Amino acid sequence: MARIWTQYNKLKAAFGPASPPATYGLVLSGGGARAAYQAGVLQYIADHLDPAPVDIITGVSAGSINAAQLANDPGTFKEAVGHLIRGWSELESHDVYHASTSFKVVMSMLRRSSDQDQELLPRAGLVDTSPLNAYMKKVLRTPDGVIHGIGDNIRSGKLKACAFVTTDYSTAQTVSWVQGAAMEGGERPNRISRNTTLTVDHIMASTSLPFLFPAIPINNHWYGDGGIRQAEPLSPAVHLGATKILAISTRYSRTMEEAARPLANGYPPAAQIFGVLLSAVFLDRLDQDAMTLERTNKFIAELAPWKRMGMRHIDLHVMRPSRDLGKLSSEYEHDLEGVLRLIARGLGSKDTESPDWLSMILFDSGYTSKLIEIGYQDAKNQHEKLARFIQT
């Protein structure tokens, strides 16, 4: 039977109808300031390859910032990436958040501790992210908050769909906000989608790191970072119809030797434990989902078409940093200000080699410019693989 099926596939390839054109999806994962790495990868692709049009763009957490700018831009892919690079190269922490001084935070906590009816920590996050709201409205050219370019690109046929992923704190569901094509078969009790007109509020919600950044109200519910419960980061692009997906992760894949080496001596500082938790929530799941997709592709290949129950093969290429971006962030810790510097010291960030949590909030042009360089070089090192994937 296997031999007959192999011969059938060969005959179909030789004489059967031509395959429909691929639907390209770009999946941009989270990681806070690490998302600058994605811009570097895309810059190399725009400069040195001839990429097929991107039909579907999905972003979660800071990946939504990149997704929004690419999906909104009226120009070519190269022009859109150029704007993205300039944004990251100039971005500073004061463009993202305003952090109160350590003194103000401590005094506020003391006042709250004397009132039994008040919570010790401010409920609406430790920092004010209104600067990021204003910055996104400026770069997306939308005073009213509606990301008009996404609708324009969908109507012109340049783009099929764009999605930002959030977490509904009220229901604990992962919610994908989609403009354009509807998701097919992606609904689960803990994973839903909503077709809408995308706005800056959706970006703000998707990027809202728990406890640090405030939740965002949308339709009478409060939303935060989409990476919190997103078990399958590739799912939005898959259910929007992508048949080829380029996913750009911000997680460094350690070797067996590196993974076995402790990153802190003695009892681990809170920064180390916090970093492990954040990595598990925001960084690790893309790799796990990629492994699942590859297994599914192998399973589908063994099935006759009439037995596949709607499942389809999906080509996937995942780009990952060649360097530990968490380790790199420790060189820039001195650039933190206000309460975030107090937190870094209090958590013992200097006592761990890889303060992953720090890398997520370090919106410093020195750090992000370095990440762009690493992303560019990583893509250059994978030129042949990327060329085969993108141009076929």
Side-chain angles (χ1 to χ4, degrees), residues 3 53 78 87 98 189 196 217 223 281 292 308 317:
R3 183 178 299 174
K78 185 178 180 67
H98 172 70
T196 189
Y223 292 86
V281 172
T292 300
R308 293 177 182 175
H317 184 81

Side-chain angles (χ1 to χ4, degrees), residues 97 99-103 105-106 109 121-122 125-127 210-213 269-272 274 278 333 336-351 355 357-358 361:
Y97 54 76
S100 297
T101 65
S102 302
F103 177 77
V105 172
V106 171
M109 291 176 65
L121 295 175
L126 288 173
V127 300
F211 304 112
L212 293 178
F213 294 177
Q272 175 66 22
F274 192 33
L278 288 179
E333 182 180 341
L336 287 179
E337 298 178 352
V339 65
L340 295 180
R341 178 178 291 184
L342 176 65
I343 293 172
R345 291 177 178 175
L347 293 177
S349 296
K350 291 185 179 298
D351 296 326
W357 83 275
L358 180 63
I361 61 170

Side-chain angles (χ1 to χ4, degrees), residues 379-392:
K380 181 178 181 180
N381 292 340
Q382 291 198 33
H383 178 95
E384 295 302 326
K385 290 182 179 179
L386 283 169
R388 285 196 300 270
F389 181 81
I390 291 172
Q391 297 169 351
T392 57

Side-chain angles (χ1 to χ4, degrees), residues 131-146:
L132 178 59
N133 187 299
Y135 176 81
M136 292 308 303
K137 286 180 178 178
K138 182 181 73 172
V139 299
L140 296 173
R141 301 176 297 282
T142 171
D144 62 356
V146 176

Side-chain angles (χ1 to χ4, degrees), residues 275-348:
V276 170
L277 288 172
L278 288 179
S279 293
V281 172
F282 297 110
L283 304 180
D284 295 350
R285 291 176 179 173
L286 177 57
D287 286 341
Q288 295 166 2
D289 199 21
M291 291 176 61
T292 300
L293 180 58
E294 294 296 345
R295 292 194 199 102
T296 303
N297 282 339
K298 292 178 181 179
F299 173 72
I300 292 172
E302 298 297 323
L303 292 177
W306 56 87
K307 293 184 178 181
R308 293 177 182 175
M309 298 181 292
M311 294 187 295
R312 66 184 188 281
H313 178 94
I314 297 171
D315 290 335
L316 173 68
H317 184 81
V318 181
M319 284 292 305
R320 302 177 180 86
S322 60
R323 293 182 59 182
D324 188 330
L325 306 186
K327 282 186 178 181
L328 183 63
S329 69
S330 62
E331 300 176 17
Y332 299 86
E333 182 180 341
H334 60 276
D335 293 322
L336 287 179
E337 298 178 352
V339 65
L340 295 180
R341 178 178 291 184
L342 176 65
I343 293 172
R345 291 177 178 175
L347 293 177

Side-chain angles (χ1 to χ4, degrees), residues 10-320:
K10 289 181 178 179
L11 289 170
K12 182 180 177 182
F15 302 106
S19 300
T23 300
Y24 282 84
L26 177 63
V27 173
L28 301 171
S29 69
R34 292 173 179 242
Y37 170 83
Q38 298 169 345
V41 172
L42 294 170
Q43 183 183 27
Y44 182 84
I45 292 173
D47 287 348
H48 298 284
L49 296 170
D50 184 21
V54 178
D55 303 295
I56 296 164
I57 303 176
T58 71
V60 62
S61 192
S64 294
I65 295 175
N66 293 339
Q69 294 187 65
L70 294 173
N72 180 70
D73 201 288
T76 64
F77 180 74
K78 185 178 180 67
E79 289 170 339
V81 172
H83 296 150
L84 187 64
I85 290 293
R86 281 196 294 276
W88 277 110
S89 300
E90 299 170 357
L91 192 70
E92 297 289 351
S93 60
H94 59 77
D95 295 314
V96 180
Y97 54 76
H98 172 70
S100 297
T101 65
S102 302
F103 177 77
K104 286 184 178 179
V105 172
V106 171
M107 293 303 297
S108 176
M109 291 176 65
L110 289 174
R111 286 195 299 270
R112 289 169 177 270
S113 66
S114 63
D115 188 342
Q116 295 182 354
D117 294 328
Q118 285 202 24
E119 300 166 4
L120 188 60
L121 295 175
R123 181 175 295 192
L126 288 173
V127 300
D128 172 17
T129 54
S130 58
L132 178 59
N133 187 299
Y135 176 81
M136 292 308 303
K137 286 180 178 178
K138 182 181 73 172
V139 299
L140 296 173
R141 301 176 297 282
T142 171
D144 62 356
V146 176
I147 312 175
H148 298 281
I150 293 179
D152 293 340
N153 287 331
I154 289 172
R155 285 187 289 273
S156 71
K158 179 181 176 182
L159 184 69
K160 179 180 178 182
C162 180
F164 306 146
V165 184
T166 64
T167 299
D168 186 337
Y169 285 146
S170 308
T171 65
Q173 291 174 307
T174 296
V175 182
S176 295
W177 300 92
V178 182
Q179 187 166 349
M183 284 193 180
E184 300 292 339
E187 299 285 310
R188 305 285 188 276
N190 291 322
R191 187 182 75 196
I192 61 175
S193 64
R194 293 286 183 265
N195 273 71
T196 189
T197 298
L198 292 171
T199 69
V200 170
D201 280 347
H202 294 105
I203 302 172
M204 295 298 296
S206 185
T207 59
S208 179
L209 287 168
F211 304 112
L212 293 178
F213 294 177
I216 304 298
I218 302 175
N219 299 340
N220 298 319
H221 282 221
W222 291 89
Y223 292 86
D225 198 299
I228 296 173
R229 296 200 68 182
Q230 191 187 34
E232 299 171 322
L234 300 173
S235 174
V238 170
H239 291 288
L240 285 169
T243 58
K244 291 178 75 76
I245 296 175
L246 172 63
I248 308 180
S249 172
T250 60
R251 175 185 179 273
Y252 171 65
S253 184
R254 296 183 294 171
T255 65
M256 291 293 289
E257 181 181 354
E258 289 173 322
R261 186 170 63 245
L263 295 173
N265 295 320
Y267 194 89
Q272 175 66 22
I273 299 171
F274 192 33
V276 170
L277 288 172
L278 288 179
S279 293
V281 172
F282 297 110
L283 304 180
D284 295 350
R285 291 176 179 173
L286 177 57
D287 286 341
Q288 295 166 2
D289 199 21
M291 291 176 61
T292 300
L293 180 58
E294 294 296 345
R295 292 194 199 102
T296 303
N297 282 339
K298 292 178 181 179
F299 173 72
I300 292 172
E302 298 297 323
L303 292 177
W306 56 87
K307 293 184 178 181
R308 293 177 182 175
M309 298 181 292
M311 294 187 295
R312 66 184 188 281
H313 178 94
I314 297 171
D315 290 335
L316 173 68
H317 184 81
V318 181
M319 284 292 305
R320 302 177 180 86

